[in-house]
Amino acid sequence: MPLALIAFALLAVLVRRASGFIAFRLGYFFGLGQFVPGLFWITESFQVEADRFGWLALPAVLGLSALLSVFPALACALAARMERAGLPLALSMATSWTATEWLRGHVLTGFPWNLAAYTLSDWPVAAQASSVFGSYGLGFLLVLCAALAGLAFVSAADGKRISRLATAGAIALSVTAFGAMRLLFADVPSERGAQIRVVQPNIAQSAKWDDATRNSNILKLIALSAQPGDFDILLWPETAWPGFLAEDAGARAMLGWLLPETGVLLTGSPEREETGAGTVYRNAVLAISRDGTILTRYAKHHLVPFGEYVPWRSLLPLQRLVQSLGDFTPGPGPRTLAFGPHPYAGIAICYEIIFPGHVVDDAIRPDWIFNATNDAWFGASIGPWQHLASARMRAIEEGLPLVRAANTGISAVVDSYGATLAMLEIDTSGVIDIRLPRPLPATIYARFGDWALLFLMLTSWAISGYWARQQQANLKGASK
């Protein structure tokens, strides 16, 4: 977190009084410094089938980073233009950065990875502000504080220096005080919640769909699930079942033996459906009862470009990085699942958890979020840790506990304040047995989404304008 503050402070100082072209170039190089090391874990996925895709690893990371760096470049160019128009640079910088981060999370299919706010994910006191303004809003406050502090040290006038430092301090103190109060009055963990068991089998991606290891992989999942202990809900990772489980009644009946009378298994499994247009494939989570019945299901709606489908397939002569019978088809969107007497669950499969405000069904609020994922593609890199940081921010934003079942890790149970209560490290197999934490009432961000961010930005500009007019009035009064 200190390094992020220093980086944004220096960026604001460099953009100060720069031309639009120079500011664009500064922002572009800043973006490369952010994205190349921050996304280098992607190279791991190309090594799973190294003979086919290994040569693409470095070009893919550099190309993606070059494309994403346009967003911070635009932010800096816009901030410089606003400064030349007479607007305060620190506020211009925070506004333009937040606007382009929001665009990065929405343009085309969106890619809101490593948002500025995530530098605060390991500092729970500061991260609590995302329950009000979301991750984009928390990033706005972070960049604003850093820019104010940086510009304070290059201010010629003592009054401006003091004013900027005081404003940055007031923002930081307010965020910290809010977080401290929220955590001080945090609910005591319930002893009456549903008992869950999270299974992490640690099956290498190269062996996941191998016919020679299929039976041993299934036996490993079953052996871990059958360990002594009580549970109500059994949780398996994304595509944990190596086949079309919905079409295999015998397998579902066998898995039902693992469950108590009213128990439910939530497991990832691909699905297929014959339609008039051909076979449709979906990446799904199934809820299976003790008698093998599929109680309900969820289909992933936010698919990974080039991993689960090829965008503009008719125009781009490219292959998917994942071999399968065909492209996946997206589901209808966020959905809350009800199964038996258990708490309602919101489902986010893998990549879906990185999208602020697009995880929970607005119509029916769930009691918890289940993030089934398979980060085996990325080995023991920093990627799974960044993925977990995103998931923890979703828990704070929504005020809901979150449970991750990951094939090779990191599986974790996170409470409604973003605290990790239990975790299984990368490249280990095991289970987590724990009571499901309690949900909180819907947060401000859960109710209003990014409208809360817009309110924050408009309020900041209104206060800045009022302060500027007051200073001008004082100067006029002093000159008379």
Side-chain angles (χ1 to χ4, degrees), residues 41 51 55 61 77 90 106 133 144 148 192 200 203 210 212 231 233 266 313 337 344-345 366 393 416 423 427 429 470:
W41 51 269
D51 56 329
W55 66 275
V61 171
H106 292 80
F133 304 115
L144 179 57
L148 284 167
R192 300 175 59 189
Q200 180 171 301
I203 297 169
D210 188 346
F231 59 85
I233 305 173
L266 292 182
R313 178 175 281 282
L337 300 189
Y344 288 6
M393 295 300 285
S416 303
M423 184 174 69
D427 288 341
S429 62
Q470 288 295 107

Side-chain angles (χ1 to χ4, degrees), residues 111-149:
F111 188 62
W113 193 268
N114 283 0
L115 300 177
Y118 295 169
T119 60
L120 301 173
S121 63
D122 287 328
W123 192 25
V125 171
Q128 299 307 307
S130 63
S131 67
V132 179
F133 304 115
S135 289
Y136 295 117
L138 183 57
F140 172 85
L141 295 173
L142 172 71
V143 176
L144 179 57
C145 279
L148 284 167

Side-chain angles (χ1 to χ4, degrees), residues 266 284-285 297-299 301 333-337 339 345-349 352-353 358-360 366 368-372:
L266 292 182
V285 165
R297 52 170 47 85
Y298 166 83
H301 72 275
R335 187 178 169 205
T336 297
L337 300 189
F339 42 89
I347 311 296
I349 299 178
E352 293 181 315
I353 202 65
H358 294 277
V359 172
V360 170
W368 61 294
I369 301 170
F370 175 44
N371 179 210

Side-chain angles (χ1 to χ4, degrees), residues 12-100:
V13 170
L14 292 173
V15 170
R16 175 175 174 261
R17 297 176 183 170
S19 68
F21 175 75
I22 292 176
F24 184 93
R25 188 171 61 181
L26 286 168
Y28 194 82
F29 283 114
F30 186 93
L32 288 176
Q34 175 187 357
F35 293 119
V36 173
L39 297 177
F40 206 77
W41 51 269
I42 292 176
T43 60
E44 295 278 346
S45 62
F46 290 86
Q47 305 310 316
V48 174
E49 296 185 56
D51 56 329
R52 298 177 63 216
F53 300 116
W55 66 275
L56 277 172
L58 190 57
V61 171
L62 294 178
L64 179 60
S65 299
L67 179 63
L68 294 175
S69 295
V70 171
F71 290 98
L74 289 173
C76 291
L78 179 59
R81 178 68 184 86
M82 294 167 76
E83 183 192 26
R84 289 197 300 277
L87 299 174
L89 178 58
L91 193 51
S92 300
M93 192 78 190
T95 302
S96 58
W97 185 275
T98 304
T100 53

Side-chain angles (χ1 to χ4, degrees), residues 322-338:
V322 182
Q323 282 189 312
S324 69
L325 298 175
D327 283 2
F328 284 108
T329 297
R335 187 178 169 205
T336 297
L337 300 189

